[in-house]
Amino acid sequence: MGTRDDYKFLTIKDAYSSINQKVNLIGIILEFGFPKRTRGTDYCCSLRIIDETHHQTGMSVNIFAENAERLPHVAAGGDIIQLSHVMVKKHGEEINAVFNKRYSSFALYKGEDGDDVAPYQFSSKFLQRDEDKNFIVNLRKWLVSFELREDASDFPMLREIKEGHINLACKIVHCCDVAQNEWFIFVWDGTDTPSNAVCSKLEDEMSCPLPLQPECLPLPRELLCTLPTVGSILRITFDIGVDKNYLHLLPIGKWIKFVNMRLEVHAGLWFGVFTPFTKLRYTPNDDCLILECQRLYDERISLELGRMPSSSLPLSTCITEVNYDHVPYVTLMDVLTHLEVTAKFKCVARVVAVLPCEPEKLCSPLGTYRMRLTLEDPTTRIHAFVLAENGETLFDGYPDIDNLTRKLNRLLGISDCDDSIGAKDAPRNPPWVPFCLKSYYIDKSDIWGCRYFRIFDTKIVGEE
């Protein structure tokens, strides 16, 4: 393990007053990021450590090595790191510790769940001493009773997100590779992401349809059935330069706090980006924010209208009426994962695209309705067809082109008062509208693979 270290631990509080000095530190890992390559030939990772003297913000530690294998491979937030001969530096207003690959050393130990005082990883220059054991044991005892004071606003729920960089506290519900060397992490907190304006051109729906999900291909049904059906599921992808060999740190079923996640909107769909500056924060099982998320979700699903989109309540729209009052509202994910191939549902959704978009083309040459709506709620998007007599119900017969245009515009969120050129290409904000849906299949040899959805018993009513 190397030769003798100069030995004396400083508390983090004392280290803050030791600028430009080499110090030895031991602390709990509050936050850590994935290894990344520097602008030169080295690799680096960033940690934030705390102890009983400085447990709210702690101290940032930047560690450098010749390759990613020589960096600390943190097993979990809340583990313990011992650092020897790190330099305390001041950068702007922040004071941090810098690990130099030539003379610094480290060792990693299990956190509060550990009982072994031997490190599970250490650097080549590390020298363990008997005195280390007491520090490790004491830190574990302190961590058991430690509760990080965090404001709920520090980790907004998915219902509160905006584009840009943000912290999130979510449950990992799935992880998969969606393309070569491209991974998605699926996270959820039981709330609904805000709906977005739709910026696609209606006439492009044939050649470039609005996607139903961020990933290129839909998830298999057997996987869909394992995901929550109430609350939005946010997809998180990895930015260029982020090492994906550490996905084991994001286990399915575990609640994780993400720090400095980037959120973007594409085609009206939210997704997150794990950047080189994103970190994972220590999240104990009894974390107050997580317990509150679970409480709010349990409360939501106990309500009669708990499966409706949160932003649709109270449902004051008078655009459609449905003749299916005895059936409770369900989400579109409920529809996709329903146990029976053929069934009837009542949903609240937005019409984000329509094909064809020209009112005069909504009927076939034989004069019967044939169109496809893209429906969206906070859980997913689906295609739903309007055919024949169901179209007659929806549009109240066969109105003239002007009236048909007005009805269609109301579903799409297009204002009738804007007759300017390109009005239909302006961003749209479709209203929440009740629909009745039925599922059906057309090939008995593959009933799930050829399952479709049709709108029925739904009628556009009233005028703006």
Side-chain angles (χ1 to χ4, degrees), residues 330-350:
V330 297
T331 69
L332 294 183
M333 270 292 281
D334 285 323
V335 173
L336 285 180
T337 59
H338 192 70
L339 293 176
E340 299 176 349
V341 181
T342 58
K344 296 180 179 180
F345 312 92
K346 185 170 65 174
C347 306
V348 173
R350 304 196 310 158

Side-chain angles (χ1 to χ4, degrees), residues 82 101 188 250 354 372 441 456:
Q82 180 179 343
K101 62 184 180 182
W188 167 94
L250 302 170
V354 59
R372 186 189 75 188
Y441 62 91
F456 77 103

Side-chain angles (χ1 to χ4, degrees), residues 228-243:
T229 60
V230 178
S232 300
I233 297 175
L234 178 72
R235 275 71 161 175
I236 298 175
T237 187
F238 292 87
D239 207 352
I240 297 173
V242 177
D243 193 333

Side-chain angles (χ1 to χ4, degrees), residues 301-355:
I301 61 174
S302 70
L303 300 175
E304 181 181 357
L305 302 179
R307 307 185 88 83
M308 291 177 61
S310 299
S311 57
S312 72
L313 297 173
L315 189 62
S316 59
T317 180
C318 56
I319 294 178
T320 64
E321 63 179 19
V322 293
N323 298 320
Y324 217 42
D325 292 337
H326 61 287
V327 174
Y329 285 103
V330 297
T331 69
L332 294 183
M333 270 292 281
D334 285 323
V335 173
L336 285 180
T337 59
H338 192 70
L339 293 176
E340 299 176 349
V341 181
T342 58
K344 296 180 179 180
F345 312 92
K346 185 170 65 174
C347 306
V348 173
R350 304 196 310 158
V351 180
V352 293
V354 59
L355 182 70

Side-chain angles (χ1 to χ4, degrees), residues 61-78:
V61 182
N62 298 316
I63 301 177
F64 297 86
E66 296 89 345
N67 52 58
E69 288 70 29
R70 295 191 176 185
L71 291 171
H73 295 175
V74 181

